[in-house]
Protein backbone atom coordinates (compact mmCIF):
# COMPACT_ATOMS: atom_id res chain seq x y z
CA UNK A 1 0.00 0.00 0.00
CA UNK A 2 1.66 3.17 -1.23
CA UNK A 3 2.94 6.29 0.49
CA UNK A 4 0.63 9.30 -0.06
CA UNK A 5 1.42 11.44 -3.10
CA UNK A 6 -0.08 14.91 -2.92
CA UNK A 7 0.07 15.45 -6.67
CA UNK A 8 -2.22 12.53 -7.31
CA UNK A 9 -4.57 12.51 -4.32
CA UNK A 10 -7.56 14.80 -4.13
CA UNK A 11 -7.18 17.70 -1.70
CA UNK A 12 -10.27 16.66 0.24
CA UNK A 13 -8.99 13.15 0.88
CA UNK A 14 -5.48 14.34 1.74
CA UNK A 15 -6.76 16.99 4.15
CA UNK A 16 -9.15 14.57 5.81
CA UNK A 17 -6.47 11.91 6.14
CA UNK A 18 -4.10 14.39 7.79
CA UNK A 19 -6.83 15.46 10.18
CA UNK A 20 -7.57 11.85 11.13
CA UNK A 21 -3.89 11.11 11.68
CA UNK A 22 -3.62 14.08 14.04
CA UNK A 23 -6.62 12.84 15.98
CA UNK A 24 -5.41 9.25 16.18
CA UNK A 25 -4.24 8.15 19.65
CA UNK A 26 -1.68 5.79 18.11
CA UNK A 27 1.90 6.66 18.82
CA UNK A 28 4.18 7.47 15.90
CA UNK A 29 6.80 4.85 16.79
CA UNK A 30 6.46 1.56 14.98
CA UNK A 31 4.97 3.17 11.89
CA UNK A 32 6.34 2.96 8.37
CA UNK A 33 5.28 3.63 4.81
CA UNK A 34 2.82 1.05 3.46
CA UNK A 35 2.84 0.03 -0.17
CA UNK A 36 -0.21 -1.69 -1.63
CA UNK A 37 1.71 -2.60 -4.79
CA UNK A 38 4.10 -4.83 -2.82
CA UNK A 39 1.51 -6.35 -0.48
CA UNK A 40 0.55 -9.96 -1.19
CA UNK A 41 -2.80 -9.41 0.58
CA UNK A 42 -4.00 -6.58 -1.69
CA UNK A 43 -6.46 -8.83 -3.56
CA UNK A 44 -8.26 -9.51 -0.27
CA UNK A 45 -8.65 -5.99 1.09
CA UNK A 46 -8.64 -3.68 -1.94
CA UNK A 47 -11.66 -3.20 -4.22
CA UNK A 48 -11.20 -4.67 -7.66
CA UNK A 49 -11.26 -2.74 -10.92
CA UNK A 50 -9.97 0.63 -9.73
CA UNK A 51 -9.16 2.98 -12.59
CA UNK A 52 -5.82 4.71 -13.06
CA UNK A 53 -7.39 7.88 -11.62
CA UNK A 54 -8.90 6.13 -8.58
CA UNK A 55 -5.92 4.05 -7.46
CA UNK A 56 -3.74 7.02 -6.38
CA UNK A 57 -6.57 8.28 -4.17
CA UNK A 58 -6.71 4.96 -2.36
CA UNK A 59 -2.94 4.87 -2.07
CA UNK A 60 -3.00 8.34 -0.51
CA UNK A 61 -5.60 7.22 2.00
CA UNK A 62 -3.81 4.10 3.24
CA UNK A 63 -0.75 6.01 4.27
CA UNK A 64 1.08 4.15 7.04
CA UNK A 65 1.61 0.72 8.51
CA UNK A 66 2.09 0.11 12.21
CA UNK A 67 3.94 -2.74 13.88
CA UNK A 68 2.12 -4.45 16.75
CA UNK A 69 4.19 -6.71 18.96
CA UNK A 70 2.92 -10.06 20.21
CA UNK A 71 0.57 -9.46 23.15
CA UNK A 72 0.23 -5.74 22.40
CA UNK A 73 -3.21 -4.19 21.96
CA UNK A 74 -3.83 -2.27 18.74
CA UNK A 75 -6.82 -0.69 20.49
CA UNK A 76 -8.85 -1.49 23.58
CA UNK A 77 -12.54 -1.57 24.37
CA UNK A 78 -13.75 1.98 24.98
CA UNK A 79 -10.99 3.65 22.95
CA UNK A 80 -12.16 6.39 20.60
CA UNK A 81 -12.81 5.18 17.07
CA UNK A 82 -10.72 7.00 14.46
CA UNK A 83 -9.41 4.35 12.09
CA UNK A 84 -10.13 1.11 10.39
CA UNK A 85 -7.23 -1.32 10.03
CA UNK A 86 -6.19 -4.06 7.64
CA UNK A 87 -3.92 -6.83 8.90
CA UNK A 88 -0.89 -6.72 6.62
CA UNK A 89 1.06 -9.56 8.23
CA UNK A 90 0.64 -11.74 11.28
CA UNK A 91 -2.63 -12.33 13.11
CA UNK A 92 -4.80 -10.65 15.74
CA UNK A 93 -7.55 -11.71 18.12
CA UNK A 94 -10.52 -9.62 19.18
CA UNK A 95 -11.61 -9.79 22.80
CA UNK A 96 -14.69 -8.53 24.66
CA UNK A 97 -14.91 -8.09 28.43
CA UNK A 98 -17.85 -9.23 30.54
CA UNK A 99 -19.22 -7.01 33.30
CA UNK A 100 -17.53 -9.21 35.91
CA UNK A 101 -14.15 -8.71 34.27
CA UNK A 102 -13.93 -12.00 32.41
CA UNK A 103 -12.77 -11.80 28.81
CA UNK A 104 -13.92 -13.78 25.80
CA UNK A 105 -12.15 -14.15 22.49
CA UNK A 106 -14.62 -13.15 19.78
CA UNK A 107 -12.60 -13.37 16.59
CA UNK A 108 -9.42 -14.30 14.76
CA UNK A 109 -8.14 -11.91 12.10
CA UNK A 110 -5.58 -13.06 9.56
CA UNK A 111 -3.56 -11.13 6.99
CA UNK A 112 -5.81 -9.31 4.52
CA UNK A 113 -8.73 -8.99 6.95
CA UNK A 114 -10.24 -5.84 8.45
CA UNK A 115 -10.24 -4.68 12.05
CA UNK A 116 -12.08 -1.87 13.78
CA UNK A 117 -15.55 -2.09 12.26
CA UNK A 118 -16.92 -2.51 15.79
CA UNK A 119 -16.19 1.16 16.46
CA UNK A 120 -18.39 2.65 13.75
CA UNK A 121 -21.69 2.43 15.62
CA UNK A 122 -20.82 4.30 18.83
CA UNK A 123 -17.61 6.09 17.78
CA UNK A 124 -15.80 3.90 20.33
CA UNK A 125 -14.42 0.40 20.07
CA UNK A 126 -16.63 -2.31 21.56
CA UNK A 127 -13.80 -4.82 21.81
CA UNK A 128 -10.03 -4.98 22.07
CA UNK A 129 -7.68 -6.16 19.31
CA UNK A 130 -4.53 -7.94 20.48
CA UNK A 131 -1.64 -9.30 18.41
CA UNK A 132 -1.23 -13.08 18.56
CA UNK A 133 2.25 -12.70 17.04
CA UNK A 134 4.44 -9.85 15.83
CA UNK A 135 2.18 -8.26 13.22
CA UNK A 136 1.72 -5.18 11.06
CA UNK A 137 -1.50 -3.35 10.25
CA UNK A 138 -2.32 -0.70 7.67
CA UNK A 139 -4.05 2.35 9.10
CA UNK A 140 -7.13 3.66 7.28
CA UNK A 141 -8.48 6.97 8.66
CA UNK A 142 -12.24 6.56 8.72
CA UNK A 143 -13.13 10.20 8.00
CA UNK A 144 -10.96 10.15 4.89
CA UNK A 145 -12.44 6.79 3.89
CA UNK A 146 -15.94 8.25 4.03
CA UNK A 147 -14.85 11.04 1.68
CA UNK A 148 -13.31 8.54 -0.70
CA UNK A 149 -16.43 6.36 -0.64
CA UNK A 150 -18.46 9.32 -1.88
CA UNK A 151 -16.04 9.73 -4.79
CA UNK A 152 -15.50 6.06 -5.69
CA UNK A 153 -18.52 3.77 -5.66
CA UNK A 154 -16.40 0.60 -5.57
CA UNK A 155 -14.90 1.75 -2.27
CA UNK A 156 -18.37 2.11 -0.79
CA UNK A 157 -19.30 -1.34 -2.07
CA UNK A 158 -16.13 -2.83 -0.58
CA UNK A 159 -16.86 -1.29 2.82
CA UNK A 160 -20.40 -2.66 2.74
CA UNK A 161 -19.08 -6.11 1.84
CA UNK A 162 -16.63 -6.01 4.75
CA UNK A 163 -19.51 -5.18 7.10
CA UNK A 164 -21.63 -7.94 5.58
CA UNK A 165 -18.82 -10.47 5.90
CA UNK A 166 -18.44 -9.63 9.58
CA UNK A 167 -22.18 -10.05 10.17
CA UNK A 168 -22.12 -13.46 8.46
CA UNK A 169 -19.04 -14.57 10.42
CA UNK A 170 -20.61 -13.56 13.73
CA UNK A 171 -23.86 -15.34 12.84
CA UNK A 172 -21.93 -18.49 11.97
CA UNK A 173 -20.08 -18.27 15.27
CA UNK A 174 -23.41 -18.05 17.13
CA UNK A 175 -24.49 -21.27 15.43
CA UNK A 176 -21.22 -22.94 16.41
CA UNK A 177 -21.66 -21.95 20.05
CA UNK A 178 -25.36 -22.69 20.17
CA UNK A 179 -25.83 -25.99 18.40
CA UNK A 180 -22.59 -27.92 17.83
CA UNK A 181 -20.88 -30.48 20.03
CA UNK A 182 -17.32 -30.01 21.28
CA UNK A 183 -15.91 -32.18 18.48
CA UNK A 184 -17.95 -30.31 15.87
CA UNK A 185 -16.84 -26.92 17.20
CA UNK A 186 -13.13 -27.76 17.02
CA UNK A 187 -13.51 -29.37 13.59
CA UNK A 188 -15.43 -26.36 12.24
CA UNK A 189 -12.76 -24.00 13.60
CA UNK A 190 -9.86 -25.94 12.04
CA UNK A 191 -11.68 -26.14 8.70
CA UNK A 192 -12.37 -22.40 8.78
CA UNK A 193 -8.71 -21.56 9.43
CA UNK A 194 -7.69 -24.05 6.72
CA UNK A 195 -9.98 -22.40 4.16
CA UNK A 196 -8.80 -18.91 5.05
CA UNK A 197 -5.16 -19.94 4.62
CA UNK A 198 -6.00 -21.39 1.20
CA UNK A 199 -7.57 -18.07 0.17
CA UNK A 200 -4.21 -16.44 0.88
CA UNK A 201 -2.28 -18.88 -1.26
CA UNK A 202 -0.92 -20.77 1.73
CA UNK A 203 -1.19 -24.48 2.49
CA UNK A 204 -4.65 -25.50 3.62
CA UNK A 205 -3.28 -28.68 5.18
CA UNK A 206 -0.48 -27.24 7.34
CA UNK A 207 -0.39 -24.00 9.30
CA UNK A 208 0.76 -22.46 12.56
CA UNK A 209 -2.23 -21.71 14.76
CA UNK A 210 -1.12 -18.73 16.83
CA UNK A 211 -4.07 -18.96 19.19
CA UNK A 212 -3.30 -20.71 22.45
CA UNK A 213 -5.47 -23.63 23.50
CA UNK A 214 -6.95 -21.32 26.11
CA UNK A 215 -7.84 -18.74 23.43
CA UNK A 216 -9.42 -21.49 21.33
CA UNK A 217 -11.50 -22.55 24.30
CA UNK A 218 -12.65 -19.00 24.94
CA UNK A 219 -13.55 -18.53 21.27
CA UNK A 220 -15.39 -21.87 21.04
CA UNK A 221 -17.09 -21.73 24.45
CA UNK A 222 -15.09 -24.66 25.80
CA UNK A 223 -12.64 -25.26 28.64
CA UNK A 224 -8.93 -25.52 27.99
CA UNK A 225 -9.04 -29.17 29.03
CA UNK A 226 -11.85 -29.97 26.59
CA UNK A 227 -9.98 -28.33 23.70
CA UNK A 228 -6.82 -30.29 24.52
CA UNK A 229 -8.71 -33.59 24.83
CA UNK A 230 -10.55 -32.98 21.57
CA UNK A 231 -7.35 -32.25 19.64
CA UNK A 232 -5.72 -35.34 21.15
CA UNK A 233 -8.74 -37.42 20.13
CA UNK A 234 -8.57 -36.08 16.58
CA UNK A 235 -4.88 -36.97 16.45
CA UNK A 236 -5.53 -40.53 17.64
CA UNK A 237 -8.22 -40.90 14.97
CA UNK A 238 -5.72 -39.84 12.30
CA UNK A 239 -7.58 -36.64 11.41
CA UNK A 240 -4.81 -34.21 12.35
CA UNK A 241 -1.25 -34.12 13.61
CA UNK A 242 -0.27 -31.44 16.12
CA UNK A 243 3.17 -30.32 17.21
CA UNK A 244 2.73 -27.36 19.53
CA UNK A 245 1.13 -24.58 17.48
CA UNK A 246 1.76 -26.42 14.21
CA UNK A 247 -1.36 -28.12 12.83
CA UNK A 248 -1.34 -30.60 9.97
CA UNK A 249 -4.68 -31.82 8.64
CA UNK A 250 -4.12 -35.46 7.70
CA UNK A 251 -7.68 -36.41 6.74
CA UNK A 252 -9.56 -33.38 5.44
CA UNK A 253 -12.68 -35.30 4.44
CA UNK A 254 -12.73 -37.11 7.76
CA UNK A 255 -12.55 -33.77 9.58
CA UNK A 256 -15.48 -32.53 7.52
CA UNK A 257 -17.48 -35.57 8.56
CA UNK A 258 -17.07 -34.91 12.29
Amino acid sequence: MLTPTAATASSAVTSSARSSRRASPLRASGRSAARCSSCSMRQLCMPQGLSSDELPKLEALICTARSVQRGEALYRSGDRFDNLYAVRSGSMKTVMAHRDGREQVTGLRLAGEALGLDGISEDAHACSAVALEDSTVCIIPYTALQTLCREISSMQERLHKLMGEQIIREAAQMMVLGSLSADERVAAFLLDVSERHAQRGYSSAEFNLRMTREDMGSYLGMTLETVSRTLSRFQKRGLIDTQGKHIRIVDLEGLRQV
Side-chain angles (χ1 to χ4, degrees):
M1 296 181 178
L2 299 180
T3 306
T5 305
T8 54
S10 69
S11 59
V13 173
T14 303
S15 174
S16 184
R18 287 172 178 166
S19 174
S20 293
R21 288 198 295 275
R22 287 195 299 268
S24 173
L26 295 175
R27 64 181 182 273
S29 61
R31 293 188 181 186
S32 62
R35 294 186 174 275
C36 297
S37 57
S38 62
C39 180
S40 60
M41 296 297 111
R42 61 186 180 275
Q43 76 280 2
L44 294 174
C45 58
M46 291 176 64
Q48 302 301 307
L50 290 178
S51 70
S52 57
D53 293 331
E54 294 169 339
L55 182 58
K57 296 179 181 181
L58 177 60
E59 292 166 347
L61 172 64
I62 306 173
C63 48
T64 55
R66 178 193 166 186
S67 298
V68 190
Q69 301 303 307
R70 180 176 179 269
E72 181 185 357
L74 174 64
Y75 55 81
R76 293 198 176 277
S77 176
D79 285 353
R80 190 180 72 181
F81 169 69
D82 290 305
N83 307 301
L84 294 178
Y85 306 90
V87 181
R88 185 177 178 88
S89 66
S91 56
M92 311 279 293
K93 66 178 178 180
T94 54
V95 180
M96 291 194 74
H98 294 274
R99 292 180 179 177
D100 60 6
R102 288 178 299 163
E103 293 186 336
Q104 181 168 348
V105 176
T106 58
L108 170 65
R109 297 291 183 267
L110 304 179
E113 295 181 342
L115 278 165
L117 292 167
D118 61 288
I120 294 177
S121 175
E122 301 293 335
D123 294 322
H125 289 288
C127 64
S128 302
V130 180
L132 292 168
E133 57 188 307
D134 290 350
S135 306
T136 57
V137 296
C138 294
I139 303 170
I140 309 166
Y142 185 63
T143 300
L145 178 62
Q146 288 179 303
T147 300
L148 192 61
C149 284
R150 288 192 288 269
E151 296 181 14
I152 304 175
S153 61
S154 60
M155 281 301 303
Q156 184 73 68
E157 292 170 3
R158 183 63 184 136
L159 181 59
H160 287 164
K161 285 186 177 182
L162 287 174
M163 292 177 175
E165 288 167 4
Q166 182 157 316
I167 291 171
I168 292 171
R169 184 169 294 279
E170 290 176 354
Q173 183 64 9
M174 288 178 63
M175 185 188 73
V176 167
L177 295 176
S179 61
L180 300 187
S181 67
D183 282 11
E184 289 171 331
R185 292 182 194 187
V186 174
F189 175 70
L190 293 176
L191 290 170
D192 176 61
V193 174
S194 170
E195 180 180 344
R196 288 158 74 184
H197 274 80
Q199 291 172 348
R200 285 151 183 78
Y202 305 145
S203 171
S204 61
E206 294 189 54
F207 47 85
N208 287 319
L209 186 58
R210 299 300 181 180
M211 269 188 172
T212 65
R213 301 293 190 260
E214 187 174 7
D215 282 340
M216 284 181 60
S218 177
Y219 183 55
L220 297 174
M222 300 162 58
T223 65
L224 168 62
E225 293 76 13
T226 301
V227 170
S228 297
R229 285 198 301 267
T230 303
L231 291 172
S232 296
R233 189 159 55 248
F234 284 2
Q235 184 156 343
K236 290 178 181 178
R237 291 171 57 183
L239 299 177
I240 64 172
D241 180 57
T242 63
Q243 298 291 333
K245 293 184 179 296
H246 184 77
I247 304 288
R248 182 168 68 92
I249 298 178
V250 179
D251 183 359
L252 181 61
E253 191 55 38
L255 196 61
R256 288 173 176 157
Q257 296 301 318
V258 170

